[in-house]
Amino acid sequence: MNEYIQIDRTSPLPLYKQLEDSIVRAIGDGELKAGDKLPTEEELADQFGLSRPVVRQAYGALVGAKLVVRERGRGSFVKELKSGPLTNSLLGFSQETLLSGHIPVTKVLAFEKSRLPERLGEMVESPWDEWFYLERVRFTDGVPSSYLRTWVPVERFPGIGAYNFEIEGPRTKSWTPGGVGTEVRACTTGRRWGCSCSPGTTG
């Protein structure tokens, strides 16, 4: 029962993220198909000892990525991917990579307060003086696939300093005094091995 779900309590990866990744991987592998019902909070509590907040956070991320739909009084169901998973702009790097059958890893090289570089300041209209600088390398199946440098305004997202960017990127999360929301735009430069990327948003 629910054999596609893998929960390892010795892993540094949060439980909600392990649950989310397990479901995304099962969708990508075809083990879960459009219309399939996901386990209820009670079932996951009984089988894996997961709390309701953990399940809700995982399912919320899947709903936000339009991989899952909630139906009041019925439960949560896998949503049909009409145009293919890679065309879904709401997917983060981890979700997109897992759907493709590969293993994603993000390594944070730097995360610190910094001023926006002058050359980028000329490209964006910004009222903020203080920024967080984030530098990351992404790996697909152990091979470096992209290098990203991101600047996020501190005043707009005051809770960003406590966030773990090796789990998720700033495209799928934003920071407010009350907690984590959805969709944030940041000033980013980056490159993928073999091609160039212009400044814009990041995932």
Side-chain angles (χ1 to χ4, degrees):
M1 180 181 178
N2 306 322
E3 295 181 355
Y4 58 87
I5 296 176
Q6 300 177 6
I7 301 296
D8 180 3
R9 294 185 179 274
T10 66
S11 171
L13 199 64
L15 295 176
Y16 84 88
K17 187 61 177 172
Q18 293 187 46
L19 176 58
E20 176 192 339
D21 287 355
S22 293
I23 294 172
V24 173
R25 190 180 297 110
I27 294 173
D29 292 344
E31 191 169 352
L32 283 175
K33 298 178 174 57
D36 285 352
K37 185 178 181 179
L38 298 182
T40 65
E41 294 176 2
E42 292 77 12
E43 290 171 342
L44 291 171
D46 291 342
Q47 186 174 358
F48 300 101
L50 299 178
S51 66
R52 288 176 181 265
V54 165
V55 177
R56 289 172 183 169
Q57 188 169 1
Y59 281 17
L62 295 168
V63 170
K66 295 190 175 182
L67 295 174
V68 167
V69 60
R70 286 195 183 109
E71 296 186 11
R72 192 175 187 83
R74 295 190 63 220
S76 300
F77 298 83
V78 177
K79 192 173 182 180
E80 182 179 1
L81 301 175
K82 296 181 179 180
S83 301
L86 298 184
T87 63
N88 188 342
S89 61
L90 295 178
L91 291 176
F93 166 71
S94 175
Q95 295 167 331
E96 183 176 307
T97 305
L98 287 169
L99 280 175
S100 301
H102 300 286
I103 300 174
V105 172
T106 297
K107 177 66 175 178
V108 173
L109 303 180
F111 184 42
E112 59 196 13
K113 286 186 178 180
S114 173
R115 295 187 64 86
L116 190 66
E118 184 177 350
R119 63 185 181 86
L120 292 180
E122 295 173 353
M123 300 171 63
V124 296
E125 296 182 3
S126 168
W128 300 291
D129 294 325
E130 193 173 32
W131 297 67
F132 264 109
Y133 168 65
L134 172 64
E135 184 178 0
R136 294 166 291 163
V137 176
R138 287 173 170 170
F139 298 82
T140 301
D141 294 334
V143 179
S145 56
S146 63
Y147 169 77
L148 296 170
R149 295 188 297 160
T150 307
W151 285 263
V152 182
V154 175
E155 293 179 24
R156 186 175 179 185
F157 308 108
I160 192 174
Y163 195 71
N164 186 348
F165 286 98
E166 293 192 346
I167 297 175
E168 292 179 88
R171 185 175 190 173
T172 55
K173 297 290 181 184
S174 67
W175 298 263
T176 64
V180 181
T182 58
E183 192 171 1
V184 54
R185 294 184 180 276
C187 184
T188 302
T189 64
R191 69 170 181 268
R192 296 181 184 277
W193 273 256
C195 68
S196 62
C197 299
S198 58
T201 58
T202 182

